[in-house]
């Protein structure tokens, strides 16, 4: 049994993927090009965003977004304390300061009350300029954008949606990658919509921002004259091979994979809810299930269950064992965390992610859930 089985997916889509890869190799165009333009159009249409700009990976996508807004030293960026370190390193790369916000323990996403507190605190202290709220759609579930956007409006802040884990998810039918002034995603192989290497994309409804990002992902060059560089940029382009892999997968992702992971999550939850705390999806929300994460009573129960399942050949992961404010790289920040981060700490001690991917079979779900029920029940 695999935690996330990428080879099974390849076997299902082999013919289309092999053909598109071979065609691309023969074609001789390996970076950007018409295939990337086509993917950008497809992703724009799928998400409902006006502009899509593909780039090298999901971390660069976040860095480019912050660059486009000229976020740097003296600026505060509000980010959840419980996330992947990529969400934080992009802020620190720019010389800006991450301000850690607690999570809602039911959704694992940024808690709007804690966000409000953190914003007030930065304003009262007066040392940093509050500029950006960066919600993360953790484990595939969109953050609480109605409340977050209200706070952004009240304090004139940008919203940067980190949708690296939530491609394909939605709130009331509106897809992720549309909730930020800029939104980003990742095509890292194990993300909900992955390619066969590194890849990422940036989404925005603003033409001006899209033009700037298109220039910045390619050294800052001018679209009209490639030898006239008009911005400071990165070398962060998407490989053509990755673009054709993604294009080959999109229909299947949309029509089958995203539905299947939701059915698997429903099965997990109905079988497990009596013995353990299962993920709660708010009304109107639809997750892309990058992870299916249960919450145990405490750290020793979590670790013991993980060992027990491991012994039975059932792989599980702890996402994430260490909150952001406890990362060594964050010890250099000039200020200590401001708001209580108790739910983030609690989650890091109690979470356990179970195998989750569209090719998990009903038999495997039975084996996994029976093992958990036998152990805890
Ligand atoms: C994976 C991930 C990223 C970074 O994506 P890469 O393509 O690996 O650079 C950023 N944010 C979150 C929440 C992620 O899970």
């Amino acid at each position: 049994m695999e935690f996330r089985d990428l080879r099974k997916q390849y076997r299902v889509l082999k013919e289309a993927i092999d053909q598109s890869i071979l065609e691309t190799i023969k074609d001789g165009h390996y970076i950007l090009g018409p295939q990337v333009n086509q993917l950008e159009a497809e992703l724009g249409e799928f998400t409902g965003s006006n502009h899509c700009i593909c780039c090298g990976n999901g971390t660069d996508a976040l860095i480019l977004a912050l660059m486009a807004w000229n976020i740097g030293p003296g600026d505060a960026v509000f980010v959840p304390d419980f996330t992947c370190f990529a969400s934080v390193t992009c802020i620190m790369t720019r010389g800006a300061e991450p301000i850690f916000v607690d999570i809602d323990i039911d959704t694992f996403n940024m808690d709007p009350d804690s966000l409000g507190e953190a914003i007030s605190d930065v304003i009262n202290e007066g040392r940093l300029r509050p500029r950006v709220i960066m919600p993360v759609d953790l484990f595939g579930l969109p953050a609480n954008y109605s409340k977050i956007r209200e706070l952004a409006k009240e304090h004139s802040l940008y919203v940067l949606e980190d949708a690296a884990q939530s491609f394909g998810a939605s709130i009331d039918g509106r897809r992720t990658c549309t909730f930020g002034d800029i939104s980003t995603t990742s095509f890292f192989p194990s993300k909900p919509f992955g390619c066969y290497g590194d890849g990422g994309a940036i989404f925005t409804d603003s033409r001006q921002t899209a033009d700037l990002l298109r220039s910045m992902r390619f050294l800052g060059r001018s679209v009209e004259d490639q030898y006239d560089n008009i911005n400071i940029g990165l070398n962060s382009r998407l490989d053509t091979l990755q673009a054709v892999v993604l294009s080959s997968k999109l229909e299947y992702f949309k029509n089958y994979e995203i539905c299947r992971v939701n059915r698997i999550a429903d099965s997990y939850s109905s079988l497990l809810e009596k013995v353990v705390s299962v993920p709660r999806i708010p009304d109107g929300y639809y997750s892309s299930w990058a992870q299916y994460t249960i919450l145990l009573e405490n750290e020793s129960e979590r670790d013991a269950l993980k060992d027990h399942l491991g012994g039975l050949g059932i792989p599980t992961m702890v996402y994430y064992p260490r909150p952001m404010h406890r990362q060594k790289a964050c010890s250099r920040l000039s200020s200590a965390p401001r708001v209580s981060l108790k739910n983030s700490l609690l989650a890091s001690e109690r979470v356990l992610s179970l195998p989750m991917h569209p090719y998990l079979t009903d038999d495997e779900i039975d084996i996994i859930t029976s093992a958990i029920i036998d152990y805890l029940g």
Side-chain angles (χ1 to χ4, degrees), residues 57-59 62 83-84 86-87 136 162 164-165 186-188 191 198-199 320:
N57 56 69
T59 309
L62 291 166
T83 179
C84 158
S87 325
V136 178
D162 181 351
Q165 300 186 7
S186 164
F187 305 128
F188 186 79
K191 305 281 162 139
D198 276 310
Y320 296 94

mmCIF file of all heavy atoms in Angstrom, residues 57-59 62 83-84 86-87 136 162 164-165 186-188 191 198-199 320, ligand 1:
data_model
loop_
_atom_site.group_PDB
_atom_site.id
_atom_site.type_symbol
_atom_site.label_atom_id
_atom_site.label_comp_id
_atom_site.label_asym_id
_atom_site.label_seq_id
_atom_site.Cartn_x
_atom_site.Cartn_y
_atom_site.Cartn_z
ATOM 1 N N ASN A 57 7.755 26.451 -9.813
ATOM 2 C CA ASN A 57 7.256 25.678 -8.672
ATOM 3 C C ASN A 57 6.344 26.561 -7.822
ATOM 4 O O ASN A 57 6.255 27.772 -8.061
ATOM 5 C CB ASN A 57 8.426 25.126 -7.833
ATOM 6 C CG ASN A 57 9.352 26.219 -7.361
ATOM 7 O OD1 ASN A 57 8.974 27.039 -6.525
ATOM 8 N ND2 ASN A 57 10.558 26.279 -7.922
ATOM 9 N N GLY A 58 5.728 25.948 -6.815
ATOM 10 C CA GLY A 58 4.770 26.684 -5.987
ATOM 11 C C GLY A 58 5.420 27.709 -5.064
ATOM 12 O O GLY A 58 4.788 28.713 -4.709
ATOM 13 N N THR A 59 6.667 27.467 -4.686
ATOM 14 C CA THR A 59 7.367 28.437 -3.830
ATOM 15 C C THR A 59 7.719 29.687 -4.635
ATOM 16 O O THR A 59 7.484 30.815 -4.190
ATOM 17 C CB THR A 59 8.657 27.804 -3.239
ATOM 18 O OG1 THR A 59 8.316 26.551 -2.643
ATOM 19 C CG2 THR A 59 9.286 28.701 -2.214
ATOM 20 N N LEU A 62 4.769 31.963 -5.080
ATOM 21 C CA LEU A 62 4.515 32.867 -3.943
ATOM 22 C C LEU A 62 5.521 34.016 -3.929
ATOM 23 O O LEU A 62 5.157 35.172 -3.692
ATOM 24 C CB LEU A 62 4.593 32.080 -2.630
ATOM 25 C CG LEU A 62 3.456 31.071 -2.387
ATOM 26 C CD1 LEU A 62 3.813 30.116 -1.247
ATOM 27 C CD2 LEU A 62 2.150 31.795 -2.073
ATOM 28 N N THR A 83 1.491 25.119 8.713
ATOM 29 C CA THR A 83 1.515 25.004 7.255
ATOM 30 C C THR A 83 2.845 24.373 6.853
ATOM 31 O O THR A 83 3.637 23.974 7.697
ATOM 32 C CB THR A 83 1.327 26.388 6.585
ATOM 33 O OG1 THR A 83 1.381 26.245 5.158
ATOM 34 C CG2 THR A 83 2.413 27.388 6.993
ATOM 35 N N CYS A 84 3.063 24.295 5.547
ATOM 36 C CA CYS A 84 4.327 23.843 4.983
ATOM 37 C C CYS A 84 5.299 25.039 5.010
ATOM 38 O O CYS A 84 4.885 26.174 4.760
ATOM 39 C CB CYS A 84 4.039 23.396 3.550
ATOM 40 S SG CYS A 84 5.407 23.366 2.432
ATOM 41 N N ALA A 86 7.272 26.237 3.049
ATOM 42 C CA ALA A 86 7.332 27.031 1.813
ATOM 43 C C ALA A 86 6.539 28.339 1.944
ATOM 44 O O ALA A 86 6.956 29.380 1.432
ATOM 45 C CB ALA A 86 6.795 26.222 0.635
ATOM 46 N N SER A 87 5.401 28.291 2.645
ATOM 47 C CA SER A 87 4.568 29.500 2.793
ATOM 48 C C SER A 87 5.328 30.588 3.545
ATOM 49 O O SER A 87 5.020 31.771 3.401
ATOM 50 C CB SER A 87 3.273 29.211 3.556
ATOM 51 O OG SER A 87 2.755 27.949 3.283
ATOM 52 N N VAL A 136 -3.620 29.840 3.682
ATOM 53 C CA VAL A 136 -3.233 28.586 3.031
ATOM 54 C C VAL A 136 -4.457 27.668 3.059
ATOM 55 O O VAL A 136 -5.114 27.552 4.088
ATOM 56 C CB VAL A 136 -2.065 27.925 3.797
ATOM 57 C CG1 VAL A 136 -1.691 26.592 3.170
ATOM 58 C CG2 VAL A 136 -0.855 28.856 3.844
ATOM 59 N N ASP A 162 -2.563 30.862 -0.959
ATOM 60 C CA ASP A 162 -1.651 29.747 -1.219
ATOM 61 C C ASP A 162 -2.503 28.487 -1.414
ATOM 62 O O ASP A 162 -2.891 27.820 -0.455
ATOM 63 C CB ASP A 162 -0.661 29.583 -0.054
ATOM 64 C CG ASP A 162 0.336 28.445 -0.294
ATOM 65 O OD1 ASP A 162 0.153 27.694 -1.266
ATOM 66 O OD2 ASP A 162 1.283 28.302 0.510
ATOM 67 N N ALA A 164 -1.567 25.778 -2.986
ATOM 68 C CA ALA A 164 -0.674 24.681 -3.402
ATOM 69 C C ALA A 164 -1.314 23.315 -3.155
ATOM 70 O O ALA A 164 -1.067 22.363 -3.888
ATOM 71 C CB ALA A 164 0.652 24.770 -2.670
ATOM 72 N N GLN A 165 -2.135 23.223 -2.098
ATOM 73 C CA GLN A 165 -2.729 21.924 -1.748
ATOM 74 C C GLN A 165 -4.186 21.814 -2.175
ATOM 75 O O GLN A 165 -4.813 20.785 -1.932
ATOM 76 C CB GLN A 165 -2.622 21.699 -0.226
ATOM 77 C CG GLN A 165 -1.187 21.701 0.268
ATOM 78 C CD GLN A 165 -1.058 21.339 1.737
ATOM 79 O OE1 GLN A 165 -2.016 20.955 2.394
ATOM 80 N NE2 GLN A 165 0.149 21.459 2.264
ATOM 81 N N SER A 186 0.770 24.691 -6.784
ATOM 82 C CA SER A 186 1.967 23.895 -7.037
ATOM 83 C C SER A 186 1.571 22.637 -7.790
ATOM 84 O O SER A 186 0.518 22.057 -7.522
ATOM 85 C CB SER A 186 2.604 23.513 -5.701
ATOM 86 O OG SER A 186 3.529 22.444 -5.887
ATOM 87 N N PHE A 187 2.426 22.227 -8.716
ATOM 88 C CA PHE A 187 2.206 20.962 -9.437
ATOM 89 C C PHE A 187 3.233 19.910 -9.015
ATOM 90 O O PHE A 187 3.512 18.977 -9.759
ATOM 91 C CB PHE A 187 2.277 21.189 -10.954
ATOM 92 C CG PHE A 187 1.342 22.247 -11.447
ATOM 93 C CD1 PHE A 187 1.799 23.305 -12.235
ATOM 94 C CD2 PHE A 187 -0.006 22.205 -11.129
ATOM 95 C CE1 PHE A 187 0.942 24.298 -12.691
ATOM 96 C CE2 PHE A 187 -0.885 23.191 -11.582
ATOM 97 C CZ PHE A 187 -0.401 24.234 -12.363
ATOM 98 N N PHE A 188 3.813 20.085 -7.816
ATOM 99 C CA PHE A 188 4.689 19.062 -7.245
ATOM 100 C C PHE A 188 3.961 17.715 -7.349
ATOM 101 O O PHE A 188 2.753 17.659 -7.148
ATOM 102 C CB PHE A 188 4.980 19.444 -5.784
ATOM 103 C CG PHE A 188 5.980 18.559 -5.105
ATOM 104 C CD1 PHE A 188 7.338 18.717 -5.334
ATOM 105 C CD2 PHE A 188 5.567 17.559 -4.226
ATOM 106 C CE1 PHE A 188 8.261 17.900 -4.700
ATOM 107 C CE2 PHE A 188 6.486 16.738 -3.597
ATOM 108 C CZ PHE A 188 7.834 16.906 -3.836
ATOM 109 N N LYS A 191 1.018 16.698 -5.039
ATOM 110 C CA LYS A 191 -0.107 17.613 -4.797
ATOM 111 C C LYS A 191 -1.337 17.087 -5.545
ATOM 112 O O LYS A 191 -1.204 16.223 -6.426
ATOM 113 C CB LYS A 191 0.232 19.027 -5.284
ATOM 114 C CG LYS A 191 1.512 19.600 -4.700
ATOM 115 C CD LYS A 191 1.330 20.119 -3.284
ATOM 116 C CE LYS A 191 2.684 20.238 -2.632
ATOM 117 N NZ LYS A 191 2.933 21.396 -1.831
ATOM 118 N N ASP A 198 9.011 19.523 -10.968
ATOM 119 C CA ASP A 198 8.532 20.742 -10.322
ATOM 120 C C ASP A 198 7.694 21.567 -11.292
ATOM 121 O O ASP A 198 7.958 21.588 -12.500
ATOM 122 C CB ASP A 198 9.725 21.576 -9.850
ATOM 123 C CG ASP A 198 10.241 21.133 -8.489
ATOM 124 O OD1 ASP A 198 9.405 21.003 -7.570
ATOM 125 O OD2 ASP A 198 11.458 20.915 -8.344
ATOM 126 N N GLY A 199 6.715 22.250 -10.737
ATOM 127 C CA GLY A 199 5.895 23.153 -11.548
ATOM 128 C C GLY A 199 4.993 23.964 -10.630
ATOM 129 O O GLY A 199 4.716 23.552 -9.497
ATOM 130 N N TYR A 320 1.714 18.613 10.253
ATOM 131 C CA TYR A 320 3.139 18.872 10.299
ATOM 132 C C TYR A 320 3.569 18.755 11.756
ATOM 133 O O TYR A 320 2.860 19.243 12.619
ATOM 134 C CB TYR A 320 3.433 20.280 9.767
ATOM 135 C CG TYR A 320 3.058 20.394 8.295
ATOM 136 C CD1 TYR A 320 1.811 20.862 7.932
ATOM 137 C CD2 TYR A 320 3.953 20.000 7.304
ATOM 138 C CE1 TYR A 320 1.457 20.945 6.587
ATOM 139 C CE2 TYR A 320 3.606 20.098 5.963
ATOM 140 C CZ TYR A 320 2.356 20.565 5.612
ATOM 141 O OH TYR A 320 1.992 20.649 4.296
HETATM 142 C C1 LIG B 1 3.928 22.336 -1.570
HETATM 143 C C2 LIG B 1 3.563 23.630 -1.005
HETATM 144 C C3 LIG B 1 4.158 24.823 -1.430
HETATM 145 C C4 LIG B 1 5.324 24.879 -2.373
HETATM 146 O O1 LIG B 1 5.179 24.240 -3.575
HETATM 147 P P1 LIG B 1 6.492 23.710 -4.363
HETATM 148 O O2 LIG B 1 5.981 23.476 -5.744
HETATM 149 O O3 LIG B 1 6.924 22.464 -3.675
HETATM 150 O O4 LIG B 1 7.517 24.777 -4.305
HETATM 151 C C5 LIG B 1 3.699 26.010 -0.904
HETATM 152 N N1 LIG B 1 2.722 26.030 0.014
HETATM 153 C C6 LIG B 1 2.138 24.913 0.480
HETATM 154 C C7 LIG B 1 1.048 25.018 1.478
HETATM 155 C C8 LIG B 1 2.538 23.664 -0.014
HETATM 156 O O5 LIG B 1 1.961 22.559 0.452
#
